[in-house]
Amino acid sequence: MKNTTRKITYGALIIACAVVLPQLFHLSGIPNSGAVFLPMHIPVLLGGFILGPLFGALIGVLSPLISSLLTAMPAPARLPFMMIELAGYGFFAGLMYHTLGFSRKKLGTYISLISAMLFGRVLYSLAAFVAGTWLNMEKAGGIMAGVNATVTGFAGIVIQLMFIPPLVYALRRAGMLDVFLRRGDGNDRI
């Protein structure tokens, strides 16, 4: 129970970072900075690495929802797609790193990160395709929405690749990851 309470507390802090970090980027005055630098993705991906797949997915769903309610970003039309994409990021980062054991592989952090990034974008593209094709939501953009988002967010992807692995390594050296995901406690399994 103590571990679950701790995970909820850290999850809430990560969600708060996911709400505040995009605001800092928007203060920069750079047009469309959220879509370019993808600041909300960083805490969500870290949430998966730190807290595992289930909490990672929950952080991915709640971060854009809470941000939209408090700051009107993301816009309501984009919100469901971001919730799906970010849930995929958090879930898959935790799944690859902890449940599938990539934390024990030499380049496991990078493999987990890139896999999570691809998985999230595929989910985003599929959601846009379903919304555009089957739900007649032409503004969803279909599969090209995922391609366009990837091209627009290239700088953010580079930032994620540069900063997330060193942060994960530092957290692992500090023992932070082991606090939450000890083998055998059942919390690292999906």
Side-chain angles (χ1 to χ4, degrees), residues 3-184:
N3 197 29
T4 302
T5 303
R6 192 179 298 188
K7 286 175 93 170
I8 291 169
T9 303
Y10 277 82
L13 288 171
I14 293 168
I15 291 170
C17 289
V19 172
V20 171
L21 192 57
Q23 296 307 309
L24 296 175
F25 274 81
H26 289 293
L27 288 175
S28 71
I30 298 171
N32 210 17
S33 62
V36 172
F37 298 111
L38 310 173
M40 190 177 288
H41 296 196
I42 295 169
V44 171
L45 286 161
L46 285 171
F49 278 107
I50 295 168
L51 300 174
L54 296 179
F55 273 81
L58 190 59
I59 290 166
V61 168
L62 292 176
S63 295
L65 178 62
I66 292 170
S67 180
S68 185
L69 291 172
L70 294 176
T71 68
M73 291 184 292
R78 184 160 154 66
L79 178 62
F81 304 106
M82 274 193 72
M83 290 171 67
I84 291 167
E85 176 185 28
L86 294 180
Y89 285 160
F91 175 80
F92 214 71
L95 177 75
M96 292 289 292
Y97 194 70
H98 294 287
T99 308
L100 298 180
F102 278 85
S103 63
R104 296 184 297 272
K105 301 206 182 308
K106 185 172 183 170
L107 295 174
T109 305
Y110 283 99
I111 294 168
S112 300
L113 176 60
I114 292 167
S115 298
M117 292 162 70
L118 289 170
F119 183 73
R121 281 297 154 120
V122 167
L123 285 179
Y124 178 86
S125 298
L126 288 174
F129 173 76
V130 168
T133 304
W134 295 337
L135 302 177
N136 294 323
M137 296 173 69
E138 294 175 15
K139 290 185 178 182
I143 298 284
M144 286 307 294
V147 173
N148 292 337
T150 302
V151 171
T152 303
F154 184 74
I157 292 168
V158 170
I159 289 169
Q160 291 167 25
L161 290 169
M162 287 174 51
F163 290 103
I164 291 175
L167 283 171
V168 171
Y169 290 134
L171 290 170
R172 187 164 192 90
R173 278 193 306 272
M176 289 292 297
L177 300 183
D178 298 331
V179 168
F180 297 110
L181 298 162
R182 288 186 177 90
R183 290 283 171 205

